[in-house]
Amino acid sequence: MSENVHHPIFARIYARISRAAESKGAAAHRGELLAGLRGRVIEIGAGNGLNFGHYPETVDEVVAVEPEPHLRRLAENAAKNAEVKIRVVDGTADALGVADDSFDGAVCSLVLCSVADQREALVEVRRVLGKGGELRFYEHVIDPDQRFARFQRVVNLVHPYVAGGCHVTRDTETAITGAGFEITSIRRFRFAPERLSTAAAPKILGAATAPAS
């Protein structure tokens, strides 16, 4: 299903820099992101599993979807030490391979920057969430400050090709609402734990629900 998602060099770089960012504030963001989740949760783009240690005990099971082989192996190792039940599976954001209405929560953490189509991915998330299900998101986005956004657009001419398809110019908040979600909380802030992540400094962190149709 995800045979084309293979970024061996970037995956190894990402694994190193993401671990280094934990002590600089990323771990606190992950804790904030996942606080209060309950029941069955699907995590889209689990990466190397850095969220796993932050799931509360009220979560019964996490299905962690990760298409990149190296990162998926790291996530599988991280799952062994987690305090909640975590099953790591291959898959892509637009084809999660699970039943409709089968999860209480969904987590998108630094992944909507790199999916092929944000709307398709978010519609797929809506499909798998049950009634009253909640989307939690933690993403870097294009800056509302047009001066910084111009800088991001220049960086983005190259960034997706060297960073595993990651775009630094996406308006993810609009994409979430455009897919039919209602944002219930959102916090906007800047976070760039190292100089190389400056273009990805503008962040959003929050929650959204999909009204029953």
Side-chain angles (χ1 to χ4, degrees), residues 30 33-34 43 45-46 48-55 107 109 138:
R30 296 179 193 280
L33 172 71
L34 304 176
E43 181 174 339
N48 49 337
L50 291 180
N51 280 334
F52 295 173
H54 298 278
Y55 279 102
V107 174
S109 174
Y138 171 39

Side-chain angles (χ1 to χ4, degrees), residues 17-29 190-195:
I17 64 176
S18 62
R19 284 194 296 266
E22 292 299 279
S23 62
K24 299 178 181 179
H29 299 158
R190 287 176 175 271
F191 176 65
E194 70 285 318
R195 187 172 298 178

Side-chain angles (χ1 to χ4, degrees), residues 83-128:
E83 295 185 2
V84 300
K85 180 182 177 182
I86 297 178
R87 179 163 56 95
V88 179
V89 300
D90 189 6
T92 55
D94 58 354
L96 295 172
V98 295
D100 294 359
D101 307 322
S102 54
F103 289 90
D104 303 294
V107 174
C108 290
S109 174
L110 304 176
V111 65
L112 293 174
C113 57
S114 59
V115 297
D117 186 307
Q118 284 191 319
R119 179 173 176 79
E120 284 188 11
L122 288 162
V123 167
E124 178 73 344
V125 170
R126 278 199 64 178
R127 179 185 71 80
V128 306

